[in-house]
Amino acid sequence: MSRRMNQLITVGFKKWCYNASGFNKYGLMRDDVLYENEDVLEALRRLPKHLLDERNFRIVRAMQIDSQKRILPEEQWTRYEDDVMYLQPYIKEVQKEREEREKWEAS
């Protein structure tokens, strides 16, 4: 197969997996459903207020919809192309600082 064909299959498979995960049917994004370990909690603490408010709204709405045994109308689902990994830069920063601190303490 050509490289272009592999990229198309890869993107198609990623979209399929994204839709199969189900969280997008509740209007959630990938970073909304991360396991909240120490690094993620610190990144959430550093997140700007408006992004944190948007995240909390999506989570509360998803919990409300799930409690009613419903999902959002399809036009309100989070699409793969629209999903923004808004928390990743903060997580990477926290991890980098933690690794730096661990190296400092080890020496």
Side-chain angles (χ1 to χ4, degrees), residues 18-101:
Y18 183 85
N19 289 323
S21 66
F23 63 82
N24 65 320
K25 296 174 184 173
Y26 294 98
L28 295 171
M29 296 184 177
R30 280 179 278 194
D31 283 352
D32 295 339
V33 296
L34 290 176
Y35 176 75
E36 293 184 0
N37 60 21
E38 290 180 21
D39 291 344
V40 172
L41 290 173
E42 178 60 25
L44 286 170
R45 193 185 66 73
R46 297 179 184 191
L47 200 63
K49 183 172 176 14
H50 70 94
L51 289 176
L52 186 60
D53 289 344
E54 290 172 4
R55 177 182 191 272
N56 290 337
F57 172 79
R58 288 190 300 271
I59 291 172
V60 169
R61 178 180 61 177
M63 290 172 37
Q64 176 75 25
I65 291 168
D66 186 56
S67 70
Q68 297 171 354
K69 307 265 190 250
R70 297 185 306 129
I71 58 173
L72 288 173
E74 193 165 344
E75 61 271 4
Q76 293 181 15
W77 291 4
T78 305
R79 294 180 345 160
Y80 177 80
E81 297 82 13
D82 299 334
D83 195 337
V84 178
M85 299 184 81
Y86 63 91
L87 196 56
Q88 292 306 311
Y90 298 96
I91 293 173
K92 287 177 184 171
E93 181 181 313
V94 168
Q95 289 173 338
K96 182 180 171 190
E97 290 173 5
R98 180 180 42 79
E99 290 168 1
E100 194 174 296
R101 187 172 47 251

Side-chain angles (χ1 to χ4, degrees), residues 6-20 80:
N6 282 339
Q7 288 175 335
L8 289 174
I9 291 172
T10 302
V11 170
F13 184 68
K14 286 180 181 179
K15 286 182 181 182
W16 180 83
C17 289
Y18 183 85
N19 289 323
Y80 177 80

